Amino acid sequence: TEKKLQEMADLYPLQLRERSREYMDMWFLSLHTCGLRFSDILTLQWCDVHFDERMIRKVVVKTKRQIEIPLTDNAIELLKRFWQRNGNRRFVCGLLPENFDLNDDLAVYHACLHKNASIKTCLKRIGKLMNLPFNLGMHCARHTFAVLALCRGIEVKKLSVLLGHSSVLVTEKTYARFIPHVLEQEVNDKLQFEVIPRNQ
């Protein structure tokens, strides 16, 4: 929920380790870049980021298709934080070596597993501080984005494009349990027609 998101943000300045704040920035970057998967956050290069166009153009690790992600003000602020940390490096988050081969699928897979292990530990601790009933992980940022987008009235078809799903059916299947709530909200907000026959 947005309330829990604020609670998480409030924990940020209380983190004593810079690495913990960096991992939290990665989580929020995923949230604010339309739920980019961890593999795509990890492999995001500065050449993928177009500040002048407020856009990320990137080949997705999972699907090998290029997507375009519009950048919000919050996404730009987070990217600027990473620029201050790692601006002279090839990768935005600075966790991969400069000569890393993005065409080596096995290397990408192992890098994601390896790097995600320490991030999981950090985020799990943050989640416990928030009293979450589940383990907080990077993929939770993607789900949070999708659910909040649905709750704010984003059409499933548009959400599917933003998430980089292969079809709208994938999005509908993944988030089916949230769609009835959205439809109910849409009916209440937009379909309350004024005309009704009444007895004289």
Side-chain angles (χ1 to χ4, degrees):
T1 63
E2 293 192 46
K3 183 179 177 182
K4 280 293 181 185
L5 279 178
Q6 186 58 57
E7 194 177 320
M8 185 175 175
D10 291 343
L11 289 170
Y12 184 87
L14 304 178
Q15 303 309 303
L16 299 178
R17 296 177 63 232
E18 172 62 22
R19 185 64 87 181
S20 296
R21 291 191 293 275
E22 190 174 339
Y23 291 160
M24 290 179 77
D25 281 341
M26 289 175 69
W27 194 94
F28 277 100
L29 182 62
S30 172
L31 174 76
H32 289 293
T33 52
C34 301
L36 270 181
R37 293 178 182 91
F38 171 66
S39 56
D40 294 309
I41 293 290
L42 182 66
T43 59
L44 184 65
Q45 303 173 84
W46 287 115
C47 63
D48 300 324
V49 180
H50 305 276
F51 285 111
D52 54 336
E53 300 176 58
R54 296 176 65 93
M55 190 74 66
I56 286 175
R57 289 190 186 87
K58 184 184 191 311
V59 175
V60 174
V61 170
K62 184 175 182 179
T63 63
K64 305 297 184 204
R65 292 186 299 122
Q66 181 163 311
I67 57 167
E68 290 190 351
I69 301 292
L71 292 174
T72 63
D73 291 342
N74 285 329
I76 288 172
E77 182 181 333
L78 288 161
L79 285 165
K80 286 180 177 177
R81 285 186 199 176
F82 281 107
W83 180 260
Q84 289 173 344
R85 290 183 183 117
N86 311 311
N88 61 337
R89 298 183 187 172
R90 175 183 166 198
F91 294 99
V92 170
C93 295
L95 296 181
L96 294 176
E98 297 297 294
N99 62 350
F100 189 83
D101 184 1
L102 292 177
N103 295 313
D104 186 339
D105 292 342
L106 191 59
V108 171
Y109 173 77
H110 285 297
C112 289
L113 279 182
H114 175 70
K115 299 298 181 185
N116 201 20
S118 53
I119 296 171
K120 272 185 181 178
T121 302
C122 172
L123 292 177
K124 184 177 179 181
R125 179 179 55 79
I126 299 292
K128 283 186 177 179
L129 291 173
M130 296 165 60
N131 294 313
L132 293 178
F134 53 84
N135 288 334
L136 182 66
M138 281 297 295
H139 207 68
C140 182
R142 182 172 173 83
H143 290 316
T144 301
F145 163 76
V147 171
L148 292 180
L150 283 171
C151 290
R152 287 188 172 206
I154 295 288
E155 296 172 23
V156 177
K157 188 173 181 180
K158 291 177 182 175
L159 178 61
S160 182
V161 172
L162 292 172
L163 289 170
H165 283 163
S166 55
S167 79
V168 71
L169 296 176
V170 174
T171 313
E172 288 174 344
K173 182 180 176 183
T174 306
Y175 298 103
R177 69 182 188 274
F178 298 103
I179 292 172
H181 165 73
V182 172
L183 291 176
E184 178 186 346
Q185 190 175 343
E186 287 284 291
V187 168
N188 288 329
D189 291 348
K190 298 176 183 175
L191 300 175
Q192 296 265 19
F193 303 121
E194 297 298 323
V195 181
I196 181 173
R198 300 187 186 280
N199 290 326
Q200 295 294 331

